[in-house]
């Protein structure tokens, strides 16, 4: 499918049925697969032959959908995981071990921030957080001899900062480590980080890819561009024999194009077992079939809502990289020429009480912790996800008490704006 445009890949990528085979991706609802001899199955265990033996390792439904996501991102291999959290953990842990160090943007999803700063710290993996707007010199200064990966989000959830991917990739490569980018918010329809130098791309497919709030899931894509063997001293897991797999050296046996995902499947999926169920992969694929049609509408609604809010007297500030005055407008013009996503955040004058009154008055937009599905939803971090913080702490974290995050869905933008207008009028 590589010669086709992204719209075609969304619809038909990953799975091309043969004569008389199902038109839609079949759900292979089976934990295990049958073989005539144990010798034949043994070949699969040794990674000497291709095929399926146990769904925790691989399943045809998941592989079709992962192959589609690899085509969309322009990668060489991909795998699905049970959630976005599992995808980011696997992507990082596949190149790190006790004693390693990660350089990460400080502007990332709260769950990933916790994963890296608390849970991975308990595994002996350190982190240095850097500003998403840091200069090349500042980024350089964050690296150590034991740094094994650099991490950031194309558009951060919920801060909506936009990352200078090309700069981050340049610095990561200067220090001989891969750049891992979480591309959940723009999706490959609006940005393909590999084209800007990212080596590994991750997703919470729970968001726009699924797009209907139906199934939690994640994905990891390898660009195939990182030369592990050129940095073999840093990545022994990929470049020296794996005793738990009969002495296979992944980077030799599977090359640059396949080593990362094969190791991630053979070791991390085998041992941690965070698989996506084939049923969920099927739902995810239904979402992917219309991703290229939905994303422009999310952007159109997000832009219209952001413009309306920016002109409203009761609104203090709007964050949306499609607004010319936004701090990230310039960088978004480069990486997101067709727009970013449908998530907008804004500060209502009058703080927490005003935000609460506003949200309670909305009729179409529901109060939810979710973002990025077909139905518009909103959240006031000060009274929900960040309610343990004081007013001062909220200000310091850049999340003022009056901040509302609104994820614009696929409804008519005039209805959304009318809903917001009537709720603001009551504040
Ligand atoms: C939601 C989200 C995650 C976590 O994904 P889950 O599927 O909820 O585990 C990771 N990164 C980003 C950018 C997200 O928005």
């Amino acid at each position: 499918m590589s010669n086709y445009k992204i719209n075609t890949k969304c619809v038909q990528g990953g799975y091309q049925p043969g004569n008389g085979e199902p038109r839609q991706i079949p759900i292979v609802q089976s934990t295990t697969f049958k073989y005539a001899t144990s010798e034949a199955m043994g070949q699969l265990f040794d990674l000497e032959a291709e095929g399926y033996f146990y769904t925790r390792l691989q399943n045809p439904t998941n592989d079709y959908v992962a192959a589609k996501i690899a085509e969309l991102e322009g990668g060489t291999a991909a795998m699905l995981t049970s959630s976005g959290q599992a995808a980011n953990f696997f992507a990082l842990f596949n190149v790190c071990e006790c004693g390693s160090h990660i350089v990460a943007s400080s502007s990332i999803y709260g769950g990933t921030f916790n994963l890296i700063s608390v849970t991975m710290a308990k595994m002996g993996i350190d982190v240095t957080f850097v500003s998403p707007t840091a200069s090349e010199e500042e980024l350089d200064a964050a690296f150590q001899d034991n740094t094994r990966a650099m991490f950031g989000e194309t558009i951060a959830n919920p801060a909506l900062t936009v990352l200078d991917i090309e700069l981050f990739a340049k610095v990561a490569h200067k220090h001989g480590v891969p750049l891992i980018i979480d591309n959940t918010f723009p999706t490959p329809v609006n940005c393909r980080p590999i084209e800007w130098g990212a080596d590994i791309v991750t997703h919470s497919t729970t968001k726009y890819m699924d797009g209907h709030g139906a199934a939690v899931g994640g994905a990891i894509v390898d660009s195939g561009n990182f030369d592990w063997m050129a940095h073999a001293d840093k990545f022994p897991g990929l470049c020296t024999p794996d005793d738990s797999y009969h002495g296979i050296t992944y980077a030799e046996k599977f090359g640059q194009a396949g080593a990362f995902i094969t190791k991630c499947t053979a070791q991390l999926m085998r041992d941690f077992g965070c698989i996506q169920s084939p049923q969920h992969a099927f739902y995810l694929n239904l979402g992917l079939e219309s991703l290229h049609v939905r994303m422009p509408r999310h952007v159109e609604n997000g832009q219209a809502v952001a413009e309306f809010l920016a002109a409203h007297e009761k609104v203090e500030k709007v964050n949306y990289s499609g607004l010319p005055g936004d701090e990230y407008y310039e960088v978004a013009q480069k990486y997101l020429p067709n727009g970013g996503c449908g998530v907008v955040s804004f500060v209502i004058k009058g703080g927490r009480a005003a935000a609460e009154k506003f949200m309670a008055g909305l009729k179409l937009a529901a109060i939810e912790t979710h973002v990025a599905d077909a139905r518009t939803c909103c959240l006031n971090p000060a009274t929900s996800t960040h309610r343990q913080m004081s007013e001062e702490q909220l200000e310091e974290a850049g999340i003022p008490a009056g901040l509302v995050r609104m994820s614009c869905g696929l409804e008519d933008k005039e209805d959304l704006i009318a809903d917001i207008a009537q709720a603001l009028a009551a504040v």
Side-chain angles (χ1 to χ4, degrees):
M1 285 251 106
S2 59
N3 294 330
Y4 290 101
K5 301 223 181 332
I6 196 154
N7 296 346
T8 304
K9 291 177 185 171
C10 279
V11 184
Q12 296 211 22
Y15 172 66
Q16 280 89 46
N19 198 35
E21 289 178 357
R23 187 71 186 100
Q24 180 54 282
I25 291 183
I27 305 170
V28 180
Q29 194 68 43
S30 179
T31 58
T32 191
F33 300 81
K34 181 193 145 176
Y35 286 92
T37 65
S38 35
E39 182 51 35
M41 199 164 65
Q43 297 262 309
L44 302 175
F45 271 98
D46 289 355
L47 304 180
E48 286 299 334
E50 290 215 16
Y52 298 93
F53 56 98
Y54 191 53
T55 286
R56 168 152 46 78
L57 273 292
Q58 275 186 303
N59 173 284
T61 310
N62 290 25
D63 282 359
Y64 294 138
V65 181
K68 175 180 282 189
I69 294 173
E71 285 171 12
L72 293 176
E73 287 287 6
T76 54
M79 66 194 282
L80 303 186
T81 57
S82 53
S83 66
Q85 285 298 109
N88 282 326
F89 172 58
F90 277 21
L92 288 164
F93 199 60
N94 208 32
V95 289
C96 291
E97 58 191 23
C98 184
S100 300
H101 171 258
I102 296 165
V103 175
S105 164
S106 58
S107 184
I108 52 176
Y109 177 66
T112 313
F113 192 90
N114 255 322
L115 167 71
I116 297 176
S117 62
V118 180
T119 300
M120 291 184 77
K122 290 180 188 163
M123 300 171 156
I125 298 165
D126 283 338
V127 61
T128 299
F129 287 107
V130 291
S131 162
T133 56
S135 67
E136 185 167 346
E137 293 70 34
E138 288 166 332
L139 294 177
D140 275 332
F143 279 77
Q144 306 177 358
D145 289 343
N146 58 340
T147 305
R148 295 292 175 264
M150 195 178 201
F151 182 88
E153 290 176 12
T154 313
I155 303 176
N157 176 13
L160 304 180
T161 55
V162 180
L163 200 74
D164 187 344
I165 302 173
E166 213 168 25
L167 175 64
F168 270 58
K170 179 182 169 197
V171 175
H173 296 160
K174 203 194 306 179
H175 295 273
V177 307
L179 175 64
I180 303 174
I181 292 288
D182 181 332
N183 196 37
T184 297
F185 267 19
T187 84
V189 169
N190 283 339
C191 180
R192 289 174 297 283
I194 291 171
E195 293 173 3
W196 300 102
D199 302 287
I200 308 293
V201 174
T202 59
H203 282 278
S204 166
T205 63
T206 317
K207 312 294 165 49
Y208 288 116
M209 281 192 167
D210 168 86
H212 299 79
V216 174
I220 307 170
V221 183
D222 180 12
S223 67
N225 291 334
F226 195 85
D227 188 349
W228 306 107
M229 278 305 201
H231 306 283
D233 54 321
K234 285 189 161 73
F235 305 104
L238 283 147
C239 303
T240 57
D242 178 0
D243 292 336
S244 75
Y245 251 112
H246 320 289
I248 284 176
T249 298
Y250 295 98
E252 269 173 6
K253 187 158 172 68
F254 300 97
Q256 247 175 254
F260 188 88
I261 294 294
T262 307
K263 174 181 179 286
C264 205
T265 303
Q267 288 181 348
L268 303 189
M269 202 54 102
R270 179 193 63 187
D271 296 350
F272 291 100
C274 310
I275 57 161
Q276 187 163 136
S277 83
Q279 185 81 40
H280 279 191
F282 177 83
Y283 295 140
L284 168 56
N285 185 59
L286 288 183
L288 291 173
E289 287 183 0
S290 63
L291 185 65
H292 59 301
V293 183
R294 293 184 287 108
M295 285 313 290
R297 176 62 77 89
H298 282 294
V299 168
E300 184 187 329
N301 286 358
Q303 183 76 29
V305 164
E307 284 171 11
F308 172 79
L309 289 166
H312 202 287
E313 53 173 16
K314 291 187 182 172
V315 174
E316 202 173 294
K317 183 170 192 277
V318 180
N319 303 310
Y320 190 73
S321 62
L323 288 179
D326 191 86
E327 192 188 342
Y328 295 93
Y329 180 77
E330 295 299 330
V331 70
Q333 289 298 298
K334 174 174 174 179
Y335 295 103
L336 305 160
N338 299 320
C341 64
V343 184
V344 180
S345 74
F346 56 103
V347 183
I348 298 186
K349 289 179 189 164
R352 192 187 301 247
E356 269 190 47
K357 185 113 208 281
F358 165 73
M359 297 206 330
L362 290 166
K363 296 190 169 83
L364 279 175
I367 299 172
E368 292 173 29
T369 53
H370 196 47
V371 283
D373 78 55
R375 291 156 295 260
T376 296
C377 57
C378 63
L379 175 90
N380 172 228
T383 50
S384 56
T385 50
H386 296 66
R387 65 182 295 139
Q388 75 283 1
M389 287 181 159
S390 68
E391 222 81 356
E392 294 71 43
Q393 286 175 322
L394 286 167
E395 282 294 337
E396 265 175 36
I399 313 167
L403 185 102
V404 175
R405 180 184 73 184
M406 181 165 275
S407 170
C408 298
L410 299 175
E411 302 90 341
D412 192 291
K413 64 185 176 207
E414 288 179 19
D415 288 338
L416 291 180
I417 288 171
D419 190 30
I420 294 166
Q422 63 83 25
L424 278 173
V427 172

